[in-house]
Amino acid sequence: MASRIVVAGVSSLAVHLPVSGFPVTYEPVVSPPWVDTGAGGAGAQIATILRTLGDDVELCTVVGEDPVGAVLRGQLRSAGLDGPSVVEGPASSQCVILVAPDGRRMVYPHLSVVNAVQYPEERFVEALAGADLAVLTNTDFVRALLPPAVLLGVPVAVDVNVIADLDEAYYQPWLDVADIIFCSHERLPCPPREWIAEVLTRHPGAAMAGVGCGPRGSVLGLRDGRLVTAGAVAPLGVRNTSSAGDSLFAAFLHGWLATGNPVEALSDAVVFAGWRIGHRQPTSVTLGADDLARLRSRHPVRVSLGWWDGGE
């Protein structure tokens, strides 16, 4: 049975542009060997992945009344996501993603045009009816939607991305209500195990906390003290790591809701994310659940179990 999931977050028109490396060297004119444009933004990406994996997904997002918005609407419609919870704003979000030959990326998101919009709470409450999970991304216009999700008793999953400090005020509203917390390793001040222990100790309402560790895979801590480490898999090599975190997060949520087994879900997630970053424009490709199962059977994941709380 498909899980019903509500995703609230940004939909952007994303331009992927190759560069020779970081830092970028100045040149007055550069003719890139390729440029790819497509749907981006955490909200649209997570919703698209979940829907393709077979979940019943409602996307709460803002799309502008501008030419970019017309393109985004078409892309969301093709993905089956242009529903009543896609509301109009004065302008659409866009982002530019620079991609180095080793797959590293630098993202320039322009979010102010959608963060200025007050998303209609009643529309969000309607979307939450019968939901198994609310995925509430950490963009400004979603902040006001946290209390309704909590009041309605819908479990909340958040990805706080490149967080570096649990005391950072911006992230507190999301951390305070989340049942599932994910983030990237890129700016963490300590090893993932220590970070997970701190998250789960300071936020006792959270059932689990995960960290995407790039070429080292992913680490997941569970409320019962278990620590799961899944090694990285890259079936096609690494071409573009943009949206790797969204891919890991979304695939994990799908697997966990479908099976109730966080260890299996994390293994599926690292395979899915590793496959996706092997594409020049990973935001344009995804897998169905059957295809993911076949891919994982060909690319087994190294899993180790331990404890984040010092248990035996």
Short mmCIF file of all heavy atoms in Angstrom, two decimals, residues 2-71:
data_model
loop_
_atom_site.label_atom_id
_atom_site.label_comp_id
_atom_site.label_asym_id
_atom_site.label_seq_id
_atom_site.Cartn_x
_atom_site.Cartn_y
_atom_site.Cartn_z
N ALA A 2 0.58 2.19 -0.88
CA ALA A 2 1.38 3.40 -1.00
C ALA A 2 1.21 4.29 0.23
O ALA A 2 0.11 4.40 0.79
CB ALA A 2 0.98 4.18 -2.25
N SER A 3 2.28 4.90 0.65
CA SER A 3 2.23 5.85 1.75
C SER A 3 1.74 7.20 1.23
O SER A 3 2.06 7.59 0.10
CB SER A 3 3.61 6.02 2.39
OG SER A 3 4.09 4.78 2.88
N ARG A 4 0.98 7.90 2.06
CA ARG A 4 0.54 9.25 1.68
C ARG A 4 1.47 10.25 2.35
O ARG A 4 1.57 10.30 3.58
CB ARG A 4 -0.90 9.47 2.09
CG ARG A 4 -1.35 10.90 1.92
CD ARG A 4 -2.82 11.09 1.63
NE ARG A 4 -3.20 12.48 1.67
CZ ARG A 4 -2.88 13.38 0.74
NH1 ARG A 4 -2.17 13.01 -0.31
NH2 ARG A 4 -3.26 14.64 0.84
N ILE A 5 2.14 11.05 1.54
CA ILE A 5 3.18 11.96 2.04
C ILE A 5 2.92 13.37 1.51
O ILE A 5 2.67 13.56 0.31
CB ILE A 5 4.58 11.50 1.58
CG1 ILE A 5 4.83 10.04 2.03
CG2 ILE A 5 5.65 12.42 2.15
CD1 ILE A 5 6.11 9.45 1.47
N VAL A 6 2.98 14.34 2.39
CA VAL A 6 2.89 15.75 2.01
C VAL A 6 4.28 16.36 2.08
O VAL A 6 4.97 16.23 3.10
CB VAL A 6 1.92 16.52 2.93
CG1 VAL A 6 1.92 18.00 2.59
CG2 VAL A 6 0.51 15.94 2.83
N VAL A 7 4.70 16.99 1.00
CA VAL A 7 6.02 17.63 0.93
C VAL A 7 5.81 19.13 0.78
O VAL A 7 5.08 19.57 -0.11
CB VAL A 7 6.84 17.10 -0.25
CG1 VAL A 7 8.20 17.81 -0.32
CG2 VAL A 7 7.03 15.60 -0.16
N ALA A 8 6.43 19.92 1.64
CA ALA A 8 6.37 21.38 1.54
C ALA A 8 7.78 21.91 1.30
O ALA A 8 8.69 21.65 2.09
CB ALA A 8 5.78 21.98 2.81
N GLY A 9 7.95 22.64 0.20
CA GLY A 9 9.27 23.17 -0.10
C GLY A 9 9.32 23.87 -1.43
O GLY A 9 8.31 24.01 -2.14
N VAL A 10 10.51 24.27 -1.82
CA VAL A 10 10.73 25.08 -3.01
C VAL A 10 10.74 24.24 -4.27
O VAL A 10 11.26 23.12 -4.29
CB VAL A 10 12.07 25.84 -2.88
CG1 VAL A 10 12.46 26.52 -4.18
CG2 VAL A 10 12.00 26.86 -1.76
N SER A 11 10.18 24.81 -5.32
CA SER A 11 10.36 24.31 -6.69
C SER A 11 11.11 25.39 -7.46
O SER A 11 10.70 26.56 -7.46
CB SER A 11 9.01 24.04 -7.37
OG SER A 11 8.28 23.06 -6.67
N SER A 12 12.20 25.03 -8.09
CA SER A 12 13.05 25.99 -8.79
C SER A 12 13.32 25.53 -10.21
O SER A 12 13.27 24.33 -10.51
CB SER A 12 14.40 26.16 -8.09
OG SER A 12 14.28 26.78 -6.85
N LEU A 13 13.62 26.47 -11.06
CA LEU A 13 14.18 26.15 -12.37
C LEU A 13 15.70 26.16 -12.19
O LEU A 13 16.28 27.18 -11.84
CB LEU A 13 13.76 27.17 -13.43
CG LEU A 13 14.14 26.78 -14.86
CD1 LEU A 13 13.35 25.55 -15.31
CD2 LEU A 13 13.90 27.94 -15.82
N ALA A 14 16.32 25.01 -12.40
CA ALA A 14 17.75 24.85 -12.09
C ALA A 14 18.57 24.75 -13.37
O ALA A 14 18.25 23.96 -14.27
CB ALA A 14 17.97 23.60 -11.25
N VAL A 15 19.62 25.54 -13.45
CA VAL A 15 20.56 25.49 -14.57
C VAL A 15 21.85 24.85 -14.06
O VAL A 15 22.49 25.36 -13.13
CB VAL A 15 20.85 26.89 -15.12
CG1 VAL A 15 21.88 26.81 -16.26
CG2 VAL A 15 19.58 27.55 -15.61
N HIS A 16 22.24 23.73 -14.65
CA HIS A 16 23.49 23.04 -14.31
C HIS A 16 24.56 23.47 -15.31
O HIS A 16 24.38 23.34 -16.52
CB HIS A 16 23.30 21.52 -14.38
CG HIS A 16 22.33 21.00 -13.38
ND1 HIS A 16 22.71 20.23 -12.30
CD2 HIS A 16 20.98 21.12 -13.29
CE1 HIS A 16 21.65 19.91 -11.59
NE2 HIS A 16 20.59 20.44 -12.17
N LEU A 17 25.69 23.97 -14.78
CA LEU A 17 26.73 24.54 -15.62
C LEU A 17 28.08 23.95 -15.23
O LEU A 17 28.47 24.03 -14.06
CB LEU A 17 26.75 26.06 -15.44
CG LEU A 17 27.78 26.86 -16.24
CD1 LEU A 17 27.45 26.83 -17.73
CD2 LEU A 17 27.81 28.30 -15.74
N PRO A 18 28.83 23.35 -16.15
CA PRO A 18 30.14 22.79 -15.79
C PRO A 18 31.20 23.87 -15.65
O PRO A 18 31.20 24.87 -16.37
CB PRO A 18 30.46 21.87 -16.98
CG PRO A 18 29.75 22.51 -18.14
CD PRO A 18 28.49 23.11 -17.58
N VAL A 19 32.11 23.66 -14.68
CA VAL A 19 33.27 24.53 -14.50
C VAL A 19 34.50 23.64 -14.42
O VAL A 19 34.41 22.44 -14.16
CB VAL A 19 33.15 25.41 -13.24
CG1 VAL A 19 31.99 26.38 -13.37
CG2 VAL A 19 33.00 24.55 -11.99
N SER A 20 35.67 24.23 -14.62
CA SER A 20 36.91 23.43 -14.64
C SER A 20 37.35 23.01 -13.26
O SER A 20 38.17 22.10 -13.12
CB SER A 20 38.02 24.23 -15.33
OG SER A 20 38.27 25.45 -14.65
N GLY A 21 36.84 23.65 -12.23
CA GLY A 21 37.20 23.31 -10.85
C GLY A 21 36.86 24.45 -9.92
O GLY A 21 36.37 25.50 -10.34
N PHE A 22 37.10 24.23 -8.61
CA PHE A 22 36.88 25.26 -7.60
C PHE A 22 38.20 25.59 -6.92
O PHE A 22 38.99 24.68 -6.63
CB PHE A 22 35.88 24.77 -6.55
CG PHE A 22 34.51 24.48 -7.11
CD1 PHE A 22 33.98 23.21 -7.07
CD2 PHE A 22 33.75 25.50 -7.68
CE1 PHE A 22 32.72 22.93 -7.57
CE2 PHE A 22 32.49 25.24 -8.18
CZ PHE A 22 31.97 23.96 -8.13
N PRO A 23 38.50 26.88 -6.71
CA PRO A 23 37.67 28.04 -7.05
C PRO A 23 37.61 28.25 -8.56
O PRO A 23 38.49 27.81 -9.31
CB PRO A 23 38.38 29.20 -6.35
CG PRO A 23 39.81 28.76 -6.25
CD PRO A 23 39.76 27.27 -6.04
N VAL A 24 36.57 28.94 -9.00
CA VAL A 24 36.37 29.20 -10.42
C VAL A 24 37.34 30.29 -10.87
O VAL A 24 37.43 31.36 -10.26
CB VAL A 24 34.91 29.63 -10.68
CG1 VAL A 24 34.72 29.98 -12.16
CG2 VAL A 24 33.95 28.52 -10.27
N THR A 25 38.06 30.01 -11.95
CA THR A 25 39.01 30.98 -12.50
C THR A 25 38.29 31.97 -13.40
O THR A 25 37.45 31.57 -14.23
CB THR A 25 40.09 30.25 -13.32
OG1 THR A 25 40.76 29.31 -12.47
CG2 THR A 25 41.10 31.24 -13.89
N TYR A 26 38.61 33.23 -13.25
CA TYR A 26 37.95 34.24 -14.07
C TYR A 26 38.37 34.15 -15.53
O TYR A 26 39.56 34.04 -15.85
CB TYR A 26 38.27 35.65 -13.57
CG TYR A 26 37.77 36.72 -14.52
CD1 TYR A 26 36.41 37.03 -14.57
CD2 TYR A 26 38.64 37.37 -15.39
CE1 TYR A 26 35.94 37.97 -15.47
CE2 TYR A 26 38.18 38.31 -16.29
CZ TYR A 26 36.82 38.61 -16.33
OH TYR A 26 36.35 39.53 -17.22
N GLU A 27 37.39 34.20 -16.41
CA GLU A 27 37.58 34.35 -17.84
C GLU A 27 36.46 35.25 -18.34
O GLU A 27 35.32 35.13 -17.89
CB GLU A 27 37.49 33.00 -18.57
CG GLU A 27 38.59 32.01 -18.24
CD GLU A 27 39.92 32.37 -18.89
OE1 GLU A 27 39.92 33.26 -19.76
OE2 GLU A 27 40.94 31.78 -18.49
N PRO A 28 36.74 36.16 -19.28
CA PRO A 28 35.67 37.06 -19.74
C PRO A 28 34.55 36.33 -20.46
O PRO A 28 33.39 36.74 -20.37
CB PRO A 28 36.40 38.05 -20.66
CG PRO A 28 37.67 37.36 -21.03
CD PRO A 28 38.04 36.49 -19.89
N VAL A 29 34.88 35.28 -21.19
CA VAL A 29 33.87 34.49 -21.90
C VAL A 29 34.27 33.02 -21.83
O VAL A 29 35.43 32.68 -22.07
CB VAL A 29 33.72 34.91 -23.38
CG1 VAL A 29 32.68 34.03 -24.08
CG2 VAL A 29 33.33 36.38 -23.49
N VAL A 30 33.33 32.16 -21.50
CA VAL A 30 33.58 30.73 -21.47
C VAL A 30 32.46 30.02 -22.22
O VAL A 30 31.28 30.30 -22.00
CB VAL A 30 33.63 30.19 -20.02
CG1 VAL A 30 33.84 28.69 -20.01
CG2 VAL A 30 34.75 30.89 -19.24
N SER A 31 32.82 29.11 -23.11
CA SER A 31 31.82 28.32 -23.82
C SER A 31 31.79 26.92 -23.22
O SER A 31 32.67 26.10 -23.49
CB SER A 31 32.18 28.23 -25.32
OG SER A 31 32.15 29.51 -25.92
N PRO A 32 30.81 26.63 -22.38
CA PRO A 32 30.77 25.33 -21.71
C PRO A 32 30.44 24.21 -22.68
O PRO A 32 29.74 24.42 -23.67
CB PRO A 32 29.66 25.51 -20.68
CG PRO A 32 28.76 26.54 -21.26
CD PRO A 32 29.67 27.48 -22.02
N PRO A 33 30.92 23.00 -22.42
CA PRO A 33 30.63 21.88 -23.31
C PRO A 33 29.18 21.42 -23.23
O PRO A 33 28.70 20.72 -24.11
CB PRO A 33 31.58 20.78 -22.82
CG PRO A 33 31.86 21.14 -21.39
CD PRO A 33 31.84 22.63 -21.33
N TRP A 34 28.49 21.78 -22.16
CA TRP A 34 27.08 21.45 -22.02
C TRP A 34 26.43 22.37 -20.99
O TRP A 34 27.11 22.95 -20.14
CB TRP A 34 26.89 19.98 -21.59
CG TRP A 34 27.59 19.60 -20.31
CD1 TRP A 34 28.85 19.09 -20.18
CD2 TRP A 34 27.08 19.72 -18.97
NE1 TRP A 34 29.17 18.88 -18.86
CE2 TRP A 34 28.09 19.25 -18.10
CE3 TRP A 34 25.87 20.16 -18.43
CZ2 TRP A 34 27.93 19.23 -16.71
CZ3 TRP A 34 25.71 20.13 -17.04
CH2 TRP A 34 26.74 19.67 -16.22
N VAL A 35 25.15 22.53 -21.10
CA VAL A 35 24.33 23.22 -20.10
C VAL A 35 23.00 22.48 -20.04
O VAL A 35 22.40 22.19 -21.08
CB VAL A 35 24.07 24.70 -20.47
CG1 VAL A 35 23.13 25.34 -19.45
CG2 VAL A 35 25.37 25.48 -20.56
N ASP A 36 22.57 22.14 -18.83
CA ASP A 36 21.29 21.44 -18.66
C ASP A 36 20.37 22.26 -17.76
O ASP A 36 20.80 22.81 -16.74
CB ASP A 36 21.49 20.06 -18.01
CG ASP A 36 21.99 19.03 -19.00
OD1 ASP A 36 21.63 19.15 -20.19
OD2 ASP A 36 22.74 18.11 -18.61
N THR A 37 19.12 22.34 -18.15
CA THR A 37 18.12 23.07 -17.39
C THR A 37 16.94 22.17 -17.09
O THR A 37 16.48 21.44 -17.97
CB THR A 37 17.64 24.32 -18.16
OG1 THR A 37 18.77 25.14 -18.48
CG2 THR A 37 16.66 25.13 -17.33
N GLY A 38 16.45 22.22 -15.84
CA GLY A 38 15.30 21.40 -15.48
C GLY A 38 14.77 21.78 -14.11
O GLY A 38 15.22 22.75 -13.50
N ALA A 39 13.83 21.00 -13.64
CA ALA A 39 13.23 21.27 -12.34
C ALA A 39 14.23 21.00 -11.22
O ALA A 39 14.99 20.03 -11.27
CB ALA A 39 11.98 20.41 -12.14
N GLY A 40 14.24 21.86 -10.23
CA GLY A 40 15.09 21.69 -9.07
C GLY A 40 14.35 22.17 -7.83
O GLY A 40 13.13 22.37 -7.84
N GLY A 41 15.11 22.39 -6.77
CA GLY A 41 14.51 22.78 -5.50
C GLY A 41 14.19 21.55 -4.67
O GLY A 41 13.72 20.53 -5.19
N ALA A 42 14.43 21.63 -3.36
CA ALA A 42 14.27 20.47 -2.50
C ALA A 42 12.84 19.94 -2.50
O ALA A 42 12.61 18.73 -2.51
CB ALA A 42 14.69 20.81 -1.07
N GLY A 43 11.87 20.84 -2.49
CA GLY A 43 10.48 20.39 -2.46
C GLY A 43 10.12 19.56 -3.69
O GLY A 43 9.61 18.44 -3.58
N ALA A 44 10.41 20.11 -4.87
CA ALA A 44 10.09 19.40 -6.11
C ALA A 44 10.89 18.12 -6.25
O ALA A 44 10.36 17.09 -6.70
CB ALA A 44 10.34 20.31 -7.31
N GLN A 45 12.15 18.15 -5.85
CA GLN A 45 12.99 16.96 -5.99
C GLN A 45 12.52 15.83 -5.08
O GLN A 45 12.37 14.68 -5.51
CB GLN A 45 14.44 17.30 -5.68
CG GLN A 45 15.14 18.02 -6.81
CD GLN A 45 15.20 17.16 -8.06
OE1 GLN A 45 15.77 16.08 -8.06
NE2 GLN A 45 14.57 17.63 -9.11
N ILE A 46 12.30 16.12 -3.82
CA ILE A 46 11.85 15.09 -2.88
C ILE A 46 10.50 14.54 -3.30
O ILE A 46 10.28 13.32 -3.29
CB ILE A 46 11.81 15.67 -1.45
CG1 ILE A 46 13.24 15.96 -0.97
CG2 ILE A 46 11.11 14.71 -0.50
CD1 ILE A 46 13.31 16.78 0.30
N ALA A 47 9.58 15.41 -3.69
CA ALA A 47 8.25 14.96 -4.10
C ALA A 47 8.32 14.09 -5.35
O ALA A 47 7.63 13.06 -5.44
CB ALA A 47 7.35 16.18 -4.35
N THR A 48 9.15 14.47 -6.31
CA THR A 48 9.27 13.69 -7.55
C THR A 48 9.83 12.30 -7.25
O THR A 48 9.35 11.29 -7.79
CB THR A 48 10.18 14.43 -8.54
OG1 THR A 48 9.59 15.69 -8.87
CG2 THR A 48 10.36 13.62 -9.82
N ILE A 49 10.85 12.24 -6.42
CA ILE A 49 11.45 10.95 -6.08
C ILE A 49 10.43 10.04 -5.39
O ILE A 49 10.25 8.88 -5.75
CB ILE A 49 12.69 11.15 -5.18
CG1 ILE A 49 13.81 11.84 -5.96
CG2 ILE A 49 13.18 9.81 -4.61
CD1 ILE A 49 14.91 12.39 -5.07
N LEU A 50 9.74 10.58 -4.39
CA LEU A 50 8.77 9.79 -3.66
C LEU A 50 7.64 9.30 -4.56
O LEU A 50 7.21 8.15 -4.46
CB LEU A 50 8.19 10.61 -2.50
CG LEU A 50 9.15 10.89 -1.34
CD1 LEU A 50 8.55 11.93 -0.40
CD2 LEU A 50 9.47 9.61 -0.57
N ARG A 51 7.19 10.16 -5.45
CA ARG A 51 6.10 9.77 -6.34
C ARG A 51 6.55 8.67 -7.30
O ARG A 51 5.83 7.71 -7.56
CB ARG A 51 5.59 10.97 -7.13
CG ARG A 51 4.37 10.65 -8.00
CD ARG A 51 3.73 11.89 -8.54
NE ARG A 51 2.59 11.56 -9.39
CZ ARG A 51 1.38 11.27 -8.95
NH1 ARG A 51 1.14 11.27 -7.65
NH2 ARG A 51 0.40 10.98 -9.80
N THR A 52 7.75 8.79 -7.84
CA THR A 52 8.25 7.78 -8.77
C THR A 52 8.47 6.45 -8.07
O THR A 52 8.30 5.39 -8.68
CB THR A 52 9.56 8.26 -9.43
OG1 THR A 52 9.35 9.56 -9.99
CG2 THR A 52 9.98 7.33 -10.55
N LEU A 53 8.83 6.49 -6.80
CA LEU A 53 9.00 5.25 -6.03
C LEU A 53 7.66 4.62 -5.65
O LEU A 53 7.63 3.50 -5.13
CB LEU A 53 9.83 5.52 -4.78
CG LEU A 53 11.33 5.75 -5.02
CD1 LEU A 53 12.01 6.23 -3.75
CD2 LEU A 53 12.01 4.48 -5.54
N GLY A 54 6.57 5.34 -5.90
CA GLY A 54 5.25 4.74 -5.73
C GLY A 54 4.39 5.31 -4.63
O GLY A 54 3.31 4.79 -4.36
N ASP A 55 4.83 6.38 -3.98
CA ASP A 55 4.03 6.97 -2.91
C ASP A 55 2.98 7.93 -3.46
O ASP A 55 3.10 8.45 -4.57
CB ASP A 55 4.95 7.70 -1.92
CG ASP A 55 5.88 6.76 -1.19
OD1 ASP A 55 5.37 5.79 -0.60
OD2 ASP A 55 7.11 6.96 -1.23
N ASP A 56 1.96 8.17 -2.66
CA ASP A 56 0.91 9.15 -2.96
C ASP A 56 1.37 10.48 -2.38
O ASP A 56 1.39 10.65 -1.16
CB ASP A 56 -0.41 8.68 -2.33
CG ASP A 56 -1.53 9.68 -2.52
OD1 ASP A 56 -1.37 10.63 -3.31
OD2 ASP A 56 -2.58 9.52 -1.86
N VAL A 57 1.76 11.40 -3.24
CA VAL A 57 2.46 12.61 -2.80
C VAL A 57 1.66 13.86 -3.15
O VAL A 57 1.15 14.00 -4.28
CB VAL A 57 3.86 12.71 -3.45
CG1 VAL A 57 4.59 13.95 -2.95
CG2 VAL A 57 4.67 11.46 -3.16
N GLU A 58 1.57 14.77 -2.19
CA GLU A 58 0.99 16.09 -2.41
C GLU A 58 2.10 17.11 -2.17
O GLU A 58 2.72 17.13 -1.10
CB GLU A 58 -0.16 16.35 -1.44
CG GLU A 58 -0.88 17.66 -1.64
CD GLU A 58 -1.93 17.62 -2.74
OE1 GLU A 58 -2.25 16.51 -3.22
OE2 GLU A 58 -2.43 18.69 -3.11
N LEU A 59 2.37 17.95 -3.16
CA LEU A 59 3.44 18.95 -3.07
C LEU A 59 2.86 20.32 -2.76
O LEU A 59 2.03 20.84 -3.51
CB LEU A 59 4.22 19.01 -4.38
CG LEU A 59 5.29 20.09 -4.49
CD1 LEU A 59 6.38 19.92 -3.42
CD2 LEU A 59 5.92 20.09 -5.89
N CYS A 60 3.30 20.90 -1.64
CA CYS A 60 2.92 22.26 -1.26
C CYS A 60 4.10 23.17 -1.62
O CYS A 60 5.15 23.12 -0.97
CB CYS A 60 2.63 22.33 0.23
SG CYS A 60 1.24 21.29 0.77
N THR A 61 3.91 23.96 -2.65
CA THR A 61 5.01 24.78 -3.14
C THR A 61 4.47 26.06 -3.76
O THR A 61 3.25 26.24 -3.88
CB THR A 61 5.86 23.99 -4.16
OG1 THR A 61 7.10 24.67 -4.39
CG2 THR A 61 5.13 23.80 -5.48
N VAL A 62 5.37 26.95 -4.13
CA VAL A 62 5.02 28.25 -4.72
C VAL A 62 5.64 28.35 -6.10
O VAL A 62 6.85 28.14 -6.26
CB VAL A 62 5.51 29.42 -3.84
CG1 VAL A 62 5.15 30.75 -4.48
CG2 VAL A 62 4.93 29.32 -2.43
N VAL A 63 4.81 28.66 -7.10
CA VAL A 63 5.28 28.86 -8.48
C VAL A 63 4.79 30.21 -8.95
O VAL A 63 3.62 30.56 -8.76
CB VAL A 63 4.76 27.74 -9.41
CG1 VAL A 63 5.11 28.04 -10.85
CG2 VAL A 63 5.34 26.40 -8.98
N GLY A 64 5.68 30.99 -9.57
CA GLY A 64 5.34 32.36 -9.93
C GLY A 64 4.47 32.49 -11.18
O GLY A 64 4.35 31.57 -11.99
N GLU A 65 3.89 33.69 -11.31
CA GLU A 65 3.12 34.04 -12.50
C GLU A 65 4.05 34.67 -13.52
O GLU A 65 3.86 35.81 -13.94
CB GLU A 65 2.00 35.01 -12.12
CG GLU A 65 1.07 34.51 -11.04
CD GLU A 65 0.10 35.58 -10.58
OE1 GLU A 65 0.54 36.51 -9.87
OE2 GLU A 65 -1.08 35.50 -10.93
N ASP A 66 5.05 33.96 -13.94
CA ASP A 66 6.05 34.48 -14.86
C ASP A 66 6.44 33.37 -15.85
O ASP A 66 5.99 32.23 -15.70
CB ASP A 66 7.28 34.98 -14.08
CG ASP A 66 7.86 33.94 -13.12
OD1 ASP A 66 7.39 32.78 -13.13
OD2 ASP A 66 8.79 34.28 -12.37
N PRO A 67 7.24 33.67 -16.87
CA PRO A 67 7.61 32.62 -17.83
C PRO A 67 8.29 31.43 -17.19
O PRO A 67 8.07 30.29 -17.61
CB PRO A 67 8.56 33.37 -18.79
CG PRO A 67 8.12 34.80 -18.72
CD PRO A 67 7.71 35.01 -17.30
N VAL A 68 9.13 31.67 -16.17
CA VAL A 68 9.77 30.55 -15.48
C VAL A 68 8.71 29.68 -14.81
O VAL A 68 8.78 28.45 -14.83
CB VAL A 68 10.78 31.07 -14.44
CG1 VAL A 68 11.28 29.93 -13.55
CG2 VAL A 68 11.95 31.75 -15.13
N GLY A 69 7.70 30.32 -14.26
CA GLY A 69 6.62 29.58 -13.62
C GLY A 69 5.87 28.69 -14.59
O GLY A 69 5.46 27.58 -14.24
N ALA A 70 5.70 29.16 -15.82
CA ALA A 70 5.03 28.35 -16.83
C ALA A 70 5.82 27.08 -17.12
O ALA A 70 5.25 25.99 -17.27
CB ALA A 70 4.83 29.17 -18.10
N VAL A 71 7.15 27.21 -17.17
CA VAL A 71 8.00 26.04 -17.40
C VAL A 71 7.91 25.09 -16.21
O VAL A 71 7.76 23.87 -16.37
CB VAL A 71 9.46 26.48 -17.64
CG1 VAL A 71 10.37 25.25 -17.74
CG2 VAL A 71 9.56 27.32 -18.91
#
